[in-house]
Every structure is written in C-alpha cells, then in structure tokens.
Amino acid sequence: MKILVGYKRVVDYNVRIQVKPDGSGVVTDGVKLSANPFDDIALEEALRLREKGIASEVVVVTIGPANAQAHIRNGLAMGANRAIHVVTEDAIQPLTAARAMLKLVDKEQPGIVILGKQAIDDDCNQTGQMLAALWDRPQATFASKIEISANVARVTREVDAGLETIEVDLPAVITTDLRLNEPRFIKLPDIMKAKSKPLETIAFADLGVESGDHLKTTRHEAPAKRSKGVMVKDVGELVAALRAKGLV
Amino acid sequence: MSKILIIAEHLDGKLNSSTARCVSAAIAAKPDSIDVLVLAADAASIASDAARIEGVSKVLTLSRTENAHALAAILAPQIAAIAGNGYSHVFAPSTTFGKDLAPRVAALLGVAQVSDIMTVQAARTFQRPIYAGNAIITVEAPASGIVVATIRTASWPAAANGAASAPIEAANADVSLPTHTRFVELSQGKSDRPDLQGASKVISGGRALGSAESFEIIYKLADRIGAAVGASRAAVDAGYVPSDLQVGQTGKIIAPELYVAIGISGAIQHLTGIKDAGTIVAINKDAEAPIFEIADYGLVGDLFKIVPELEAALAT
Ligand SMILES: Cc1cc2nc3c(=O)[nH]c(=O)nc-3n(C[C@H](O)[C@H](O)[C@H](O)COP(=O)(O)OP(=O)(O)OC[C@H]3O[C@@H](n4cnc5c(N)ncnc54)[C@H](O)[C@@H]3O)c2cc1C
Ligand SMILES: Nc1ncnc2c1ncn2[C@@H]1O[C@H](COP(=O)(O)O)[C@@H](O)[C@H]1O
C-alpha cells in the first residue's frame, strides 16, 4: 500500500509574526521556514506504517514555490521514498490544495492519504476534509492513534468531548493531531542520501486544477493587544483584587 | 436576499451552547432568515431547545438512525442537499464538530470555506485569525455561491432564549449515505465540573505541575471556586491530563471571565486560546515568563506553595 503525505512549508512556529505596516501581509522575508509541525507528524506516522510492513511506499507532496526544494529534501531525508513537488508561486487555499491533491490521488492510487489537521500559517483546518469529500472517501480527522487491519483503519480522534474512535474503510484521508507520535530527527547522512531520491516536479498549471472560488484577503492587521496588568506581592493581595472585581 | 442555515451541535440529546453563539454571528450578517438544522437519531427535543433561541426563524430536523453520531461523511451530503434549497450561508461552530464537518460540506458544494469568523463586516466579509492569532485578516467570499463558514465561538456570546418558539419542521434530504465510516465509541472523562468551553472561570495548569498526581491541586483549587480545568499542551503531552483539556491554537479557544494560568510559560500557541478572557491571572516562579505580559494580575512564586495558600484563602 502506498501512503501520500501532505508536507507543507510554513513559517516556523517559533517566529514572532509581524504584520506589515501597510496591512498587505505579514513579514516573511528572511524568516525561518519549516515543515508544518502537523505534517512532520503525518510523515512520521506514514514511516512507522511502512516500518511495520503495512505500507510499502511513502510519497511526500508539497504544493509550493520553486524554492521549496530544500524543504522537500528534508522530507526525503526523514525517510520518504520519493517526493512530488507541485510548483506554484501563488498562495494556495485549501479547496485548491484539495483539488490538486485529488489529481495526485487519481494518478498514484494511495491506500491512505495523511495530512496535518491544520497548517499553522493559515490555520484553516480544511484541506483533508475537502479532499475526502471530493474523492468521495472517508475522513478520520484529528487522529491520535491509527490501527490498520485488512482494509480498515481504526482511528482514535481528539474531539472536544474526549476521545472518539471510528472505523473507516480504505482508501481514506486521515489528518493528524499532536499526540499521534513524536517525529524523528533528521540525521546528517540521511540528508546526503536524500539527494539521490526521486523528486518529481509538476507545474501547477499542468495539473489541470479548476480554479476559482477563492476567498479574497483585503487586509491584514495586528491583533488587539492586552495591556500588561499589575504584579501582586502575595496571595492575600490577589484574592482581595479578585474579590473586588466579584470574580471569586 | 440572505438566508442562513446553522448546523446545530449536540451531544447526548443536549444542544451545545456553540449553536446559540452561531446564531449571534448570523444575526450580525443581517440576514432575512436564520434556520437551524438538527441532524440526530431523534431530533425532537434538541430541536425544541434550538427553537427557543432568540433570532431563529425556523428549526429543521433530519431524524434518522444514521445520524446518531456526528460523522462528517454521513452528515455532509444531507447538509449540502438542504443548503441547496436557497440558502446563502451555512454556519457551524468552530469546535471539533464543526471543523470536521464544514469543509466537507463546502467541498461538496464546490465552494471555499471561511474558518473561525471573529467579526462579520458585511454579509460576505469577515475577520478571522491566522498564524495563531498573530494576525487578523479580512476576507471576502465570492459574490455568488453559498458561504460556508465556521464561527469562532469565543468571539460571540450565546444568543439568549426568547419568549416565543420558532416553528419546527421535518426536512427531507433525499441522498444516499455512505457506509464506509462507522462510529465505534466515545470515551469521555466523567466529571461534574463545568464544561471548559462554556465555563465562566477556568484554572489551567502547565508542565510545572510535574505529574498527574500533583495536578490534583489544580482540580482542588478549581472545585473551590466552581471553575473548569484546562491545561497547556506540555501538560497534556506529558499525560498529566486528557487531551480535551488543552487550551490554545490547536486545542480549545476560550473566553471565560476569569482565567488562571499556573506554571504555564505563556507560549504564543497557548496565549491565542485565552486572549479574549475577561481577567487573566498568572502564577509562575519566573518573573520573566511571557505569560506576565498579558496577565491582569501576576504573582511570582512557587506554585506548590501558592496554590494551597490560595485555596485556603478562598475557603474563608
Ligand atoms: C504546532 C504546535 C501547536 C501547539 N499548540 C498548543 C496549544 O494549543 N496549546 C498550548 O498550550 N501549547 C501549544 N503548543 C506548545 C507551546 O509552544 C508550548 O510548548 C507550551 O504551551 C508550553 O507549555 P507550558 O507553559 O506548560 O510549559 P513550559 O513552557 O515548560 O513552562 C512551564 C512554566 O512553569 C514555570 N514553573 C516551573 N516550576 C514552577 C513552580 N514550581 N512554580 C511556578 N512556576 C513554575 C516555569 O517558569 C515555566 O514558565 C503548540 C506547539 C506547536 C509547535
Ligand atoms: N500547499 C500545500 N502543500 C502540501 N500540503 C498541504 C498544502 N496545503 C495544505 N496541505 C495539507 O493540508 C493540511 C491542512 O492544511 P489547512 O487546511 O490549510 O489547514 C496541512 O497540514 C497539509 O498536510
């Protein structure tokens, strides 16, 4: 069985995001870029399924600019067998990403597609669900445990009420939550080895994805700031302050 | 003309307050009507609760056994069919229920989806957070096509119950449902404490608690003032508390009147989950911890000394 993994490059989670003064976007020049943390978890899970003999091949997919090659090589160094780079300089919204992924699914016929539950740049949390709908296959979102037997995935999902378990027939789309696993670190020799792994580049325009239905972003602004409050010296002072406000 | 359809969230036969929060967001879009759709095995009593929310024009029900559990693959085609009956908007709460469901509905309708609406500027123009709330963007949905969106519940008060009840109608969605997705079980921590997402007071603990046993002092303090309990990702990852207590960018976004962060450093991913809280209290032994930058009241010291003191002080 083949597993397709979404592997998006995003601004690193440690970067302090600054909105440009003219409201046209956020500053991305010169900031550190990394794999979306949920996609590292997705790739790790796919590799473990391959190590268990359940999957035979792990393919990472990046839809992103031409200069994302080093990022894709990281996915290969972590252990993916090969990579597909759909090249576009435009920011791709989830519906378009899902439509593009569907083209790759048609071509590759994977048994499982594992994506992150959300990209930490747009925080959309949509692409996996949309791909599953367009593909007319099951979705198991926010996974914290995946067990595969025969043609069924039993997935534990982190939901607001607790942990939900569902069963889905394969092929299916699974999206990852934080507790699914802890991704391995990339080792130096593997970076060298990754250089010779297959990396296919496809121009976005050549995929024949229907366009349109985009949301138009008209303005970026910094969030309202909370002002710094006061420091209290002890518990007595804290309780007095909270009582004065009627909070306790 | 705009007609908004809200997908009701419910569990164990009870309507979730997230539904009434979606009604508030819908009212802000100034539509001609606001209908609530209840999909359940037996929607009757949930529908009569939804009908009481002020601002609701009509409640539609789809009662069938397949709807016993909220499985997106099963609910989405029914919702897409109902949405086709002249609705301009479909809203769901931005809870795990709505986040799972809404994109599937949007894709079936062939439209983009707006996630986490914070403000409604016009019927098709909204504000939403990106980058863990470090930037707020204004987005416009295309002029035609249904607007599918999730509502950031912490940004909206729950619409109150009105004097009258809206009419309830059985709807009809003639679609075949897949069998490829099956519910197995839901394991919930049984607790009499208030629900984290609706609670007016929340006490959260972080990595500093050190173990599940030590975390008990947070529960004790919370019980003293009738608060819900939350946690940082680090505390969840370390197994001190279950995952449904995680507050933050990728956990629950909450807006209680009082939030107390104990032994939590204040990483940006955590802060984004609490910045709409009324009053924030931070207790941390490190005076430089970033949590103090946004706290209304900060207290520097060892939590293992402070928390028992605080509990005792609140008992009197
Ligand atoms: C993709 C992604 C998503 C994330 N999502 C979330 C999320 O949704 N929610 C979330 O919370 N985090 C999230 N995080 C993690 C976040 O970046 C931080 O790592 C996490 O919030 C830290 O938790 P903490 O404050 O409990 O631990 P730490 O940062 O380790 O802080 C512990 C604090 O306790 C204090 N302390 C230690 N001992 C004592 C004592 N005896 N008395 C008093 N104070 C003491 C220390 O001074 C320190 O400030 C996410 C990270 C990533 C990469
Ligand atoms: N441009 C992209 N390239 C690769 N994967 C993507 C891309 N966009 C979205 N994804 C996948 O979809 C997930 C959810 O993204 P989103 O819906 O944008 O929050 C991500 O974690 C990725 O796995």
Side-chain angles (χ1 to χ4, degrees):
Chain A
M1 178 170 70
K2 194 187 288 183
I3 300 182
L4 228 54
V5 174
Y7 195 64
K8 188 181 182 184
R9 187 181 68 170
V10 298
V11 173
D12 186 83
Y13 77 96
N14 274 314
V15 171
R16 262 187 182 271
I17 295 293
Q18 302 286 342
V19 175
K20 290 181 187 162
D22 66 358
S24 65
V26 302
V27 178
T28 51
D29 287 346
V31 305
K32 186 179 175 206
L33 303 172
S34 307
N36 182 38
F38 290 98
D39 294 356
D40 267 335
I41 296 172
L43 177 52
E44 176 65 35
E45 196 64 17
L47 297 175
R48 290 185 190 186
L49 289 170
R50 192 186 63 198
E51 282 153 9
K52 283 186 202 152
I54 291 165
S56 48
E57 191 182 28
V58 174
V59 182
V60 284
V61 176
T62 298
I63 307 167
N67 71 12
Q69 292 259 337
H71 156 75
I72 299 166
R73 290 284 171 206
N74 278 341
L76 292 170
M78 208 169 130
N81 298 77
R82 59 190 176 88
I84 301 175
H85 181 187
V86 177
V87 183
T88 169
E89 302 303 316
D90 299 335
I92 294 296
Q93 294 183 6
L95 181 61
T96 307
R99 285 172 172 165
M101 295 265 182
L102 183 66
K103 297 282 181 192
L104 302 178
V105 162
D106 286 343
K107 189 165 145 234
E108 298 282 343
Q109 299 288 317
I112 307 177
V113 178
I114 311 183
L115 304 183
K117 83 164 175 183
Q118 84 196 61
I120 62 161
D121 51 3
D122 64 24
D123 279 337
C124 275
N125 198 329
Q126 299 175 6
T127 308
Q129 298 86 314
M130 287 181 161
L131 172 61
L134 299 175
W135 190 14
D136 199 14
R137 292 305 307 164
Q139 67 189 48
T141 52
F142 326 146
S144 67
K145 191 174 172 199
I146 301 172
E147 294 164 294
I148 310 286
S149 60
N151 247 342
V152 173
R154 195 182 171 93
V155 179
T156 304
R157 310 178 53 234
E158 291 195 5
V159 294
D160 290 340
L163 294 173
E164 183 191 66
T165 306
I166 62 172
E167 265 182 13
V168 295
D169 295 339
L170 301 181
V173 178
I174 300 176
T175 75
T176 59
D177 217 318
L178 295 169
R179 258 69 59 179
L180 183 59
N181 61 49
E182 237 180 272
R184 67 196 64 187
F185 289 105
I186 297 170
K187 294 191 228 61
L188 216 54
D190 293 330
I191 296 178
M192 297 308 294
K193 267 189 257 163
K195 293 210 166 95
S196 58
K197 286 188 179 177
L199 193 173
E200 179 185 358
T201 36
I202 306 175
F204 181 81
D206 292 345
L207 272 185
V209 172
E210 70 183 283
S211 62
D213 307 301
H214 293 290
L215 301 176
K216 195 167 111 199
T217 300
T218 54
R219 196 181 142 74
H220 286 68
E221 55 202 279
K225 265 213 167 78
R226 281 188 82 101
S227 49
K228 192 172 155 69
V230 296
M231 300 304 283
V232 293
K233 66 173 195 313
D234 58 23
V235 165
E237 207 181 305
L238 177 60
V239 171
L242 296 179
R243 287 218 165 115
K245 280 189 154 186
L247 288 166
V248 291
Chain B
M1 204 179 98
S2 65
K3 273 177 75 179
I4 300 185
L5 182 69
I6 292 172
I7 313 307
E9 176 172 8
H10 55 87
L11 186 65
D12 298 333
K14 283 202 260 321
L15 188 68
N16 190 302
S17 69
S18 63
T19 309
R21 293 175 192 272
C22 289
V23 173
S24 290
I27 291 170
K30 303 195 175 67
D32 299 288
S33 63
I34 300 172
D35 296 350
V36 175
L37 174 62
V38 181
L39 301 101
D42 176 2
S45 78
I46 302 160
S48 67
D49 285 346
R52 278 197 286 275
I53 303 172
E54 188 139 21
V56 172
S57 318
K58 187 168 72 184
V59 177
L60 301 173
T61 59
L62 276 173
S63 293
R64 52 193 290 183
T65 49
E66 293 94 329
N67 293 344
H69 303 286
L71 296 170
I74 288 168
L75 304 189
Q78 301 174 68
I79 295 166
I82 300 287
N85 302 334
Y87 286 97
S88 56
H89 297 64
V90 178
F91 283 1
S94 156
T95 54
T96 54
F97 162 78
K99 287 175 180 172
D100 184 44
L101 180 59
R104 191 152 184 134
V105 173
L108 292 179
L109 294 171
V111 299
Q113 189 222 287
V114 185
S115 292
D116 306 316
I117 290 180
M118 302 170 71
T119 71
V120 174
Q121 313 265 299
R124 289 173 175 269
T125 309
F126 314 96
Q127 282 186 305
R128 62 170 301 259
I130 58 172
Y131 289 104
N134 279 310
I136 309 298
I137 55 172
T138 305
V139 292
E140 275 172 27
S144 63
I146 300 177
V147 178
V148 178
T150 58
I151 305 302
R152 185 177 181 273
T153 49
S155 299
W156 301 92
N161 282 347
S165 256
I168 300 173
E169 271 173 33
N172 182 25
D174 193 14
V175 287
S176 64
L177 301 181
T179 54
H180 54 46
T181 303
R182 298 170 294 276
F183 174 85
V184 178
E185 63 178 356
L186 174 65
S187 74
Q188 277 176 282
K190 287 274 168 280
S191 134
D192 302 329
R193 293 190 181 87
D195 169 56
L196 183 52
Q197 273 155 319
S200 62
K201 298 170 201 170
V202 174
I203 312 244
S204 282
R207 191 196 311 270
L209 271 300
S211 69
E213 296 71 49
S214 312
F215 207 94
E216 283 302 321
I217 63 172
I218 301 291
Y219 286 108
K220 255 180 103 183
L221 179 59
D223 290 345
R224 176 65 69 201
I225 60 165
V229 172
S232 69
R233 173 190 172 181
V236 175
D237 282 3
Y240 308 162
V241 292
S243 58
D244 52 296
L245 297 197
Q246 182 178 315
V247 172
Q249 178 191 16
T250 56
K252 288 178 178 163
I253 311 274
I254 56 174
E257 285 163 35
L258 174 65
Y259 185 79
V260 184
I262 300 176
I264 291 178
S265 60
I268 187 72
Q269 293 86 3
H270 188 80
L271 300 187
T272 193
I274 60 169
K275 55 182 168 210
D276 295 316
T279 298
I280 297 177
V281 174
I283 298 170
N284 196 301
K285 71 174 182 192
D286 174 10
E288 303 297 316
I291 188 82
F292 288 126
E293 294 301 315
I294 67 151
D296 298 284
Y297 300 103
L299 178 52
V300 177
D302 182 357
L303 74 90
F304 293 106
K305 183 173 159 284
I306 292 172
V307 172
E309 264 179 47
L310 185 55
E311 206 222 312
L314 290 170
T316 56

